[in-house]
Structure formats: structure tokens, C-alpha cells
Amino acid sequence: MAETTASGYIQHHLQNLTFGQHPTNGWSFAHTAQEAQEMGFWAFHVDTLGWSVAMGLIFLFLFRMAAKKATSGQPGGLQNFVEVLVGFVDSSVKDSFHGKSAVIAPLALTIFVWVFLMNAIDLIPVDWIPQLAVLISGDSHIPFRAVPTTDPNATLAMAFSVFALIIFYSIKVKGIGGFLGELTLHPFSSKNIFVQILLVPVNFLLEFVTLIAKPISLALRLFGNMYAGELVFILIAVMFGSGLLWLSGLGVVLQWAWAVFHILIITLQAFIFMMLTIVYLSMACEDSH
């Protein structure tokens, strides 16, 4: 495989299927990264949105089926799996969340399973889903990325949803005055009112950076790890197109080895996203500083 061909292959696999209003073509799908860029901010990554919704529906379907077939007698394999998963998430919430909310445990379960399912798409060979998209669309140049968590738009959307809950619970528990006081009266304080007023901008800058860093770090951590994993799979796939038998054979070995190791990564990243969400919401629900 020539360098330019390999480069084009990698760029194609890292481009999302984008739909938006192009200055020349109107509302259409972008066929190149340049067209996607020209569509501006209000363009949609159709593949990210579609697979996110699909994984969410699979999650709902599996858990609904387990609930409908639940029995107090001899449980089936699906019921056993769901009960173990629910117990694991419930114990994690009890250990880390010190507030009172009936929403946190279901939210944590949803985050863990949904993020895991989206991550798990990365285990499907990198060419299968893009080739299926080509067969369905009839367009051999159409890009298609199947792993939503390799798209920063998806991870940032989830992280900012968590951020909205952080703000909501902070105001609910502490009140608007308490929330603003937390942002402006800490970490530096003084008994002298004039000194304290002078410290307000410094405190606000430090606390605001700390606050806004939570969703950004939450999103970029998941995106960075999954993007790197996807890129490794793509680079291994490039080895198959080299035309060298020994390099293709090495690619087979690396593909399986990385897939086995990646199972740990996709599970760990889902767990970290869930745990950080629980911890951040627990901090938001603390009524004392």
C-alpha cells in the first residue's frame, strides 16, 4: 500500500458522515473533510447520532426483556447478568454518593451500560461497518464512523449533560446564594470584609476553572482513550493492505492481541465515566464546604 493510499485510508476512516447546509450544495451529506468543514457548526454527525441511539435502544431492550422475564425461581442467564450489573452499580453508588437522590443509581447504570455498548462497537473490524454503509448508499466515497465515543461531540454532549446536573443539584442543595458563595468565597477567605471583597475575583477564577474542568476532562478522557484505540485498529488494518504476506500475518496477531486488551479499555472507560459522574454529583450535593 502506498503512503498516500494509506494516508487516505486513515483519513477516510476517521471522518464522520456529516449532514448539513453546504454553501454550494445546500442541505446534503459531506463527501470530504473540506465539505464537512464548510458546513459550519450546525452540521450533524449522522453516524454518531445513529449509533448512539441504536446502542441506547439495545440497552433498553435487553433490560426490559430481563425485567419481563424476571422470576424468583431459577433465573436465566440474562437475569443473572442484569442482577450482577445492577448490584455492582448500586454498591458503587452507595460507596461514593453521600447525598439523597433516587436518580443517581439509575443514571449511573445508564451511563455505564450505554457507554460500554458504544465503546464495544470498536471491537468490530474497522472495514465492516463502513463497507456496509457503502453498499447501502451506493456511494464508494461516503465516510462512516461507527464508534460514537471517538467523536468529541458525543462525549462532550454527555459530559455537559452531567455538568447541567451538577449545577442543578448544587443550587438545589445549597441555594443560589450558597452556590455563588462557593464560587466566590473559597478557597481564600478573610474576616476583613474589604479583603474578602478583593479576594472574590481570585476565588471566582480558581473555582470557575475547577468547575468547568469537570465536564471537559470527563469528555476528553473518554474521547482520547477511545480515539487512540480506534486509531490502533486502523493502523493494524493498514498492514493487511501492504501486499506483504508476513506483514499481513503480523497484522492478524496484533489485531487479536489488541482486541483482547481493548476489552479491558472499553470496560474501564465506561466505569471511569460512571464513577466520576457519581463523585461529581456527590460533591454537588454536599451542603457544607
Side-chain angles (χ1 to χ4, degrees):
M1 178 179 292
E3 183 178 349
T4 54
T5 305
S7 176
Y9 175 85
I10 294 171
Q11 291 178 8
H12 181 268
H13 277 66
L14 293 178
Q15 183 182 340
N16 287 95
L17 176 59
T18 306
F19 181 80
Q21 188 172 20
H22 189 270
T24 304
N25 304 328
W27 288 97
S28 60
F29 287 101
H31 291 82
T32 64
Q34 180 64 29
E35 286 187 9
Q37 184 178 1
E38 290 171 352
M39 288 178 176
F41 179 79
W42 293 109
F44 301 92
H45 289 177
V46 179
D47 41 14
T48 295
L49 292 171
W51 282 107
S52 298
V53 172
M55 293 301 103
L57 292 175
I58 290 175
F59 162 61
L60 294 175
F61 172 77
L62 290 176
F63 275 67
R64 183 176 183 273
M65 185 169 61
K68 289 181 66 176
K69 295 182 178 180
T71 175
S72 57
Q74 182 68 28
L78 179 60
Q79 182 179 339
N80 274 328
F81 174 76
V82 170
E83 287 179 352
V84 169
L85 191 58
V86 170
F88 165 72
V89 173
D90 187 58
S91 64
S92 298
V93 172
K94 288 179 179 178
D95 291 340
S96 304
F97 184 76
H98 307 298
K100 294 181 180 179
S101 176
V103 175
I104 305 303
L107 175 66
L109 178 65
T110 301
I111 287 175
F112 180 75
V113 179
W114 192 30
V115 173
F116 174 81
L117 289 174
M118 289 190 289
N119 291 349
I121 301 175
D122 212 9
L123 298 175
I124 300 174
V126 294
D127 285 328
W128 287 12
I129 294 178
Q131 287 179 355
L132 180 61
V134 168
L135 290 175
I136 294 174
S137 65
D139 186 347
S140 59
H141 300 290
I142 195 168
F144 199 89
R145 292 178 70 181
V147 187
T149 46
T150 60
D151 185 352
N153 293 283
T155 58
L156 281 168
M158 291 188 293
F160 280 119
S161 297
V162 173
F163 182 68
L165 289 174
I166 292 174
I167 301 299
F168 171 78
Y169 278 106
S170 294
I171 295 176
K172 179 181 179 182
V173 174
K174 304 161 190 171
I176 295 179
F179 176 62
L180 294 177
E182 189 177 68
L183 289 177
T184 56
L185 303 180
H186 303 279
F188 303 113
S189 61
S190 174
K191 294 181 180 180
N192 188 310
I193 185 65
F194 297 104
V195 175
Q196 187 62 63
I197 291 174
L198 292 175
L199 290 173
V200 165
V202 178
N203 288 332
F204 177 76
L205 178 62
L206 294 174
E207 291 295 326
F208 181 76
V209 169
T210 301
L211 182 66
I212 201 68
K214 292 177 181 178
I216 294 175
S217 63
L218 193 64
L220 295 184
R221 180 182 291 105
L222 177 59
F223 160 72
N225 282 278
M226 294 309 303
Y227 183 87
E230 181 189 39
L231 187 58
V232 171
F233 277 122
I234 294 173
L235 292 175
I236 293 173
V238 171
M239 299 171 67
F240 290 98
S242 64
L244 300 175
L245 184 60
W246 68 271
L247 195 57
S248 298
L250 179 61
V252 173
V253 176
L254 292 176
Q255 185 86 358
W256 281 102
W258 182 247
V260 171
F261 179 71
H262 206 55
I263 294 173
L264 174 63
I265 295 176
I266 64 177
T267 307
L268 185 61
Q269 290 306 312
F271 174 75
I272 291 174
F273 199 98
M274 177 194 74
M275 286 303 302
L276 288 178
T277 298
I278 296 172
V279 171
Y280 290 158
L281 291 176
S282 179
M283 293 169 62
C285 290
E286 292 178 357
D287 55 3
S288 61
H289 196 284

